[in-house]
Amino acid sequence: MFLQRCITADCRAEYKLDEHLYVCSRCGGLLDVERAEDIEFDPVSLRELWRERRASGDERDRSGVWRFREFLPFGEEAPVVSLGEGNTPLYDAPRSANYCRRPQLKLKHQGCNPTGSFKDTGMTAAVTQARKLGARVVVCASTGNTAASLAAYAARAELLCAIVVPGGQVSHAKLAQALDYGAKVLEIEGNFDACMNQIRELSEDGSVYLVNSINPFRIEGQKTVAFELAEQLEWRVPDHLVLPGGNLGNSSALGKGFRELLQSGLIDRQPQITVVQAAGAAPFARFYSQHERGFANEEHPKTLASAIKIGAPVSWQKAWRAVRETNGRVITVTEQEIADAKAVIGRDGIGCEPASATTVAGIRKLVSEGAIKEDETVVAVLTGHLLKDTDYVMKYHSETLIAPDGERIVSNFGNPVNHGSPANPVKSLLDRITGLT
Ligand code: F0G
């Protein structure tokens, strides 16, 4: 029913689902998983079925990914590896909305997944495919979240797991997760892009399965976020969907998800997909504004948002398709803008990691430029949990956060710890904080 197909327009080679590939063996292009034949779906009964599954006790029905399995390339007999991923909240966020001057803003918090990032929605699918293929070892390169997620799902599937990370550039929280879940972690000198090159070589061995977002099965899992989001909005799609861009798997996945929903008559239009990058790690934004020059990697990506410190995004062609098809944009935001937006999101009681805050910073910019209009609805995807990078948070609030160019970040929304002393007892401190005296 499903197959793998090369996305390159003049190739379009087809492969069976059980072929152990990451790119087209004919032309090297990226692969999509596609339905082999057109199937007519009845949108009303599908919506009903998906809603009913939410009340079921079946492990697959309780997962926000497998609940939508009519659109996933795994049969009923698939050896599903799940941690109950998905089902993440869609929040109103009045302070963030006010900051962006965008009253109709909602935040889809993918940081509420089992390992604290959106990666889990893809990893459940990729590790299930690894099991189907009979792989012994699963591997990835990572800036931290993919590592944490893969390590957890590999542990559940009882597969060996090896991870390559850029030395000294991954937050302790993410590394701690990978170690606790039992993955073998290898730090190398160099950045994420160097890790990616190494891991691609390693995965030429047939017993090893690579689950970075170049893997089309991972994208299949991640695309279900579009389904869940559309359902939460009662199938009324927002005008804009804004998400951070690093390796560009997530923008590719959401683009694919909304495209399939439209093709199946479940929604009547797609949101405009805007990808936001940190200004120091923005090869995709550069391509967007000068695409006639072709895509060029960023040799030395720099940003404190370490999750998206990526110069050679493997999925840029798929993300470009999503942006072009939906009439979206690719923009950049500065380190200062990311830091402030992150603190504002925190004040909504939500919180996220720095990479995720590019979204609210980006929306603020788009509103001020008139690219998002007064009456338009906007959803920002928060990709990772606040606790993923507490070092950054503490530095921001104590005014010691330094950008990669050496500039000190101004803590416009700083909230430093207050220190008590015998001369400054707790009561007077509290009075001061609450403004009672
Ligand atoms: N936000 C967070 C929190 C991430 O961890 C990542 C990517 C992104 C955004 C960007 O998503 O790569 O699909 O464009 N993290 C990867 C990792 C690279 O290894 O954890 P993308």
Side-chain angles (χ1 to χ4, degrees):
M1 221 162 98
F2 290 86
L3 49 76
Q4 303 186 73
R5 193 198 300 277
C6 174
I7 69 160
T8 310
D10 50 9
C11 177
R12 308 288 289 152
E14 292 180 6
Y15 303 94
K16 292 206 204 91
L17 283 187
D18 58 3
E19 286 189 64
H20 188 149
L21 299 163
Y22 310 106
V23 290
C24 174
S25 36
R26 199 196 287 168
C27 78
L30 296 173
L31 297 173
D32 257 344
V33 172
E34 279 183 6
R35 217 175 260 289
E37 76 271 17
D38 280 340
I39 296 192
E40 291 278 311
F41 285 113
D42 169 24
V44 177
S45 15
L46 259 188
R47 289 175 188 165
E48 190 61 28
L49 173 68
W50 292 340
R51 196 177 23 243
E52 278 167 12
R53 281 184 185 157
R54 276 159 57 182
S56 144
D58 181 303
E59 187 191 34
R60 288 179 310 165
D61 292 347
R62 299 208 73 81
S63 158
V65 172
W66 297 96
R67 193 153 64 81
F68 302 105
R69 55 190 174 273
E70 285 68 23
F71 283 74
L72 294 176
F74 301 88
E76 281 297 312
E77 303 306 315
V80 169
V81 185
S82 173
L83 280 164
E85 52 290 319
N87 298 319
T88 58
L90 180 66
Y91 290 122
D92 284 328
R95 284 201 168 95
S96 305
N98 193 30
Y99 179 69
C100 299
R101 290 182 291 278
R102 178 61 277 141
Q104 308 208 51
L105 173 70
K106 287 184 189 291
L107 306 179
K108 173 73 175 154
H109 203 344
Q110 293 290 88
C112 297
N113 269 294
T115 76
S117 86
F118 71 100
K119 306 287 181 180
D120 296 344
T121 55
M123 216 49 88
T124 182
V127 173
T128 297
Q129 180 67 7
R131 246 195 189 170
K132 263 181 86 174
L133 293 176
R136 253 172 33 83
V137 190
V138 279
V139 299
C140 72
S142 181
T143 57
N145 280 327
T146 306
S149 180
L150 175 60
Y153 282 85
R156 300 297 295 177
E158 297 184 46
L159 292 170
L160 297 171
C161 174
I163 285 159
V164 184
V165 297
Q169 297 174 51
V170 173
S171 86
H172 275 167
K174 298 175 187 177
L175 214 48
Q177 288 181 288
L179 296 174
D180 226 33
Y181 300 140
K184 296 290 169 220
V185 177
L186 174 68
E187 282 192 340
I188 64 164
E189 256 179 58
N191 59 22
F192 170 83
D193 304 308
C195 297
M196 196 65 223
N197 286 339
Q198 298 238 347
I199 210 84
R200 280 179 79 163
E201 269 175 39
L202 187 73
S203 57
E204 278 160 23
D205 179 323
S207 66
V208 171
Y209 195 54
L210 173 70
V211 300
N212 279 99
S213 54
I214 195 169
N215 181 319
F217 292 90
R218 215 187 94 191
I219 299 294
E220 288 304 291
Q222 276 174 225
K223 81 179 179 193
T224 61
V225 176
F227 291 56
E228 186 177 291
L229 177 59
E231 185 185 57
Q232 283 170 314
L233 292 169
E234 291 173 6
W235 306 100
R236 280 190 297 272
V237 168
D239 296 303
H240 298 269
L241 181 76
V242 182
L243 64 166
N247 216 11
L248 299 173
N250 207 26
S251 8
S252 306
L254 278 151
K256 188 169 193 283
F258 279 108
R259 187 181 323 124
E260 291 181 6
L261 287 174
L262 183 68
Q263 283 164 354
S264 314
L266 282 147
I267 55 173
D268 56 8
R269 63 184 179 121
Q270 287 168 274
Q272 278 184 262
I273 294 184
T274 290
V275 180
V276 191
Q277 297 204 290
F284 192 43
R286 207 173 36 240
F287 175 69
Y288 171 77
S289 50
Q290 320 171 343
H291 54 264
E292 53 299 335
R293 291 203 193 165
F295 193 91
N297 293 336
E298 174 93 55
E299 282 290 316
H300 302 291
K302 292 191 192 70
T303 171
L304 294 176
S306 57
I308 51 171
K309 192 175 157 197
I310 294 174
V314 294
S315 295
W316 71 265
Q317 281 134 319
K318 287 186 182 175
W320 178 232
R321 186 174 61 180
V323 168
R324 218 183 31 216
E325 246 175 47
T326 64
N327 211 11
R329 294 179 174 78
V330 189
I331 62 167
T332 63
V333 289
T334 64
E335 296 295 310
Q336 180 69 54
E337 288 169 325
I338 296 172
D340 283 337
K342 200 187 109 47
V344 172
I345 297 166
R347 295 297 300 278
D348 269 315
I350 296 172
C352 63
E353 67 169 282
S356 311
T358 55
T359 53
V360 166
I363 293 165
R364 187 170 200 252
K365 194 167 170 182
L366 291 171
V367 170
S368 71
E369 289 167 359
I372 292 181
K373 307 268 170 344
E374 184 74 11
D375 54 342
E376 288 182 322
T377 50
V378 187
V379 172
V381 180
L382 302 182
T383 44
H385 199 278
L386 181 146
L387 295 176
K388 288 284 194 173
D389 193 351
T390 50
D391 194 36
Y392 181 103
V393 185
M394 294 311 286
K395 283 186 178 154
Y396 177 84
H397 288 296
S398 58
E399 305 213 25
T400 53
L401 192 61
I402 309 291
D405 62 4
E407 285 287 306
R408 184 184 290 266
I409 301 283
V410 182
S411 304
N412 290 314
F413 301 90
N415 181 26
V417 174
N418 294 280
H419 297 281
S421 70
N424 180 13
V426 173
K427 183 169 181 322
S428 75
L429 184 64
L430 275 182
D431 287 350
R432 214 175 58 212
I433 294 168
T434 52
L436 295 177
T437 55

